[in-house]
């Protein structure tokens, strides 16, 4: 937590501005939980919908091959997407930082006025904010950091942790997608395997939806709402995929 406190000499007025500024090397459990939820949620619904759709063709081998192909490609896509998003955020941050550095170098007065206007939104007097702006201008790096943190509200992305995020999302996606596929490896009758897959996914969707919302909002009511919501989304995705594949197969056979 970064705290900026300004006190005008000879006056009892003061202002404190708070904003969390995470360390570039900081990577806590919340980041891992967030990435795991994103990856697992996609992995549980997308491959399940695909395998449910493919099961309408009546071949367990086809379901397994198609499901595994989607699992591997989806996991890789999730991982690369997470990494590329971090790189894009970094480039955007650096570009904005370069722009602000040029502004500070060529238009110092205007940059100071931006800080004064920023503090005015918090009810800080012009005299107090002017003193802060003057102090900040003595160190260009801190000045730029303040502008990026508080004016632009941009946190410097840590690309080095992007690989952790990518791996977490990728493995979570793969694990989530693998669960509904297990019955197809163990049961030769594709219809029976489908029903077992539906039962497994039904339970996992309810548990996952409950935990996801309960951890985030920390109320049982939110947890039950998340369970129902997640179940409905998964069921709609699976039913849609099943209907489309079955319809295409019937049309191709009739044709």
């Amino acid at each position: 937590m970064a705290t900026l406190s300004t006190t005008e000499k000879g006056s009892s007025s003061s202002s404190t501005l708070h904003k969390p500024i995470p360390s570039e090397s900081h990577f806590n459990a919340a980041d891992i939980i967030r990435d795991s939820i994103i990856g697992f949620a996609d992995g549980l619904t997308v491959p399940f919908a695909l395998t449910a759709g493919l099961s309408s063709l009546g071949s367990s081998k086809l379901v397994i091959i198609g499901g595994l192909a989607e699992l591997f490609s989806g996991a890789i896509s999730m991982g690369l997407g997470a990494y590329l998003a971090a790189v894009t955020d970094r480039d955007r941050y650096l570009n904005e930082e370069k722009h602000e550095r040029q502004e500070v170098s060529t238009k110092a007065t205007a940059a100071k006025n931006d800080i004064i206007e920023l503090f005015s939104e918090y009810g800080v007097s012009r005299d107090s904010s002017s003193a802060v702006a003057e102090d900040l201008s003595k160190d260009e790096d801190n000045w730029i950091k303040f502008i990026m943190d508080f004016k632009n509200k941009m946190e410097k992305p840590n690309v080095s942790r992007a690989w952790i995020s990518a791996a977490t999302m990728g493995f979570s996606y793969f694990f989530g997608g693998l669960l509904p596929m297990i019955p197809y490896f163990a049961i030769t009758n594709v219809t029976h395997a489908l029903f077992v897959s539906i039962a497994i996914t039904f339970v996992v969707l309810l548990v996952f939806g409950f935990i996801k919302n309960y951890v985030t909002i920390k109320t049982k009511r939110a947890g039950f709402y998340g369970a129902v919501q997640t179940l409905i989304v998964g069921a709609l995705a699976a039913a849609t995929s099943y209907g489309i594949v079955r319809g295409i197969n019937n049309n191709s056979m009739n044709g």
Side-chain angles (χ1 to χ4, degrees):
M1 177 74 69
T3 304
L4 178 65
S5 178
T6 64
T7 305
E8 186 178 5
K9 292 183 178 180
S11 172
S12 60
S13 63
S14 64
S15 173
T16 304
L17 184 62
H18 300 272
K19 181 180 184 298
I21 305 176
S23 168
E24 189 170 350
S25 60
H26 182 59
F27 187 82
N28 55 34
D31 297 315
I32 297 178
I33 292 174
R34 179 203 62 198
D35 293 338
S36 298
I37 288 175
I38 295 173
F40 190 83
D42 281 357
L44 190 60
T45 54
V46 177
F48 169 66
L50 175 65
T51 53
L54 291 176
S55 67
S56 66
L57 301 179
S59 170
S60 294
K61 182 178 180 180
L62 183 60
V63 173
I64 292 173
I65 294 175
L68 287 177
E70 201 288 326
L71 269 184
F72 282 107
S73 62
I76 293 172
S77 177
M78 286 288 291
L80 287 177
Y83 179 77
L84 292 176
V87 171
T88 300
D89 287 343
R90 178 202 62 186
D91 292 342
R92 178 171 171 265
Y93 181 94
L94 293 177
N95 182 66
E96 189 64 29
E97 185 182 48
K98 180 180 178 181
H99 171 74
E100 294 295 350
R101 198 172 291 277
Q102 291 174 345
E103 287 286 316
V104 165
S105 300
T106 59
K107 301 176 182 178
T109 301
K112 291 178 184 178
N113 286 333
D114 286 342
I115 295 177
I116 294 172
E117 290 179 6
L118 175 64
F119 275 106
S120 68
E121 297 176 3
Y122 295 87
V124 181
S125 68
R126 187 175 183 83
D127 290 339
S128 296
S129 56
S130 295
V132 173
E134 192 62 37
D135 285 341
L136 283 172
S137 66
K138 296 176 182 178
D139 188 324
E140 184 175 293
D141 289 336
N142 282 336
W143 194 359
I144 299 299
K145 188 174 186 299
F146 179 89
I147 291 173
M148 296 299 294
D149 288 338
F150 296 104
K151 177 190 170 186
N152 296 336
K153 296 179 175 61
M154 295 177 66
E155 295 178 357
K156 190 172 185 177
N158 183 4
V159 179
S160 62
R161 65 158 286 271
W163 290 109
I164 300 177
S165 179
T168 302
M169 283 193 183
F171 282 118
S172 297
Y173 183 96
F174 189 88
F175 178 71
L178 188 62
L179 292 178
M181 286 190 59
I182 293 176
Y184 296 100
F185 290 98
I187 302 174
T188 55
N189 187 298
V190 68
T191 302
H192 294 166
L194 173 62
F195 287 132
V196 176
S197 178
I198 291 174
I200 292 175
T201 307
F202 178 86
V203 174
V204 175
L205 282 173
L206 285 177
V207 174
F208 172 71
F210 181 88
I211 294 175
K212 174 176 67 70
N213 272 30
Y214 185 78
V215 169
T216 304
I217 307 177
K218 302 188 183 303
T219 65
K220 289 185 178 180
R221 181 177 180 180
F224 286 119
Y225 175 78
V228 174
Q229 183 185 50
T230 306
L231 179 62
I232 291 174
V233 171
L236 288 175
T240 302
S241 178
Y242 184 90
I244 291 174
V245 175
R246 189 175 182 85
I248 293 174
N249 183 51
N250 289 339
N251 288 336
S252 62
M253 291 179 63
N254 294 331

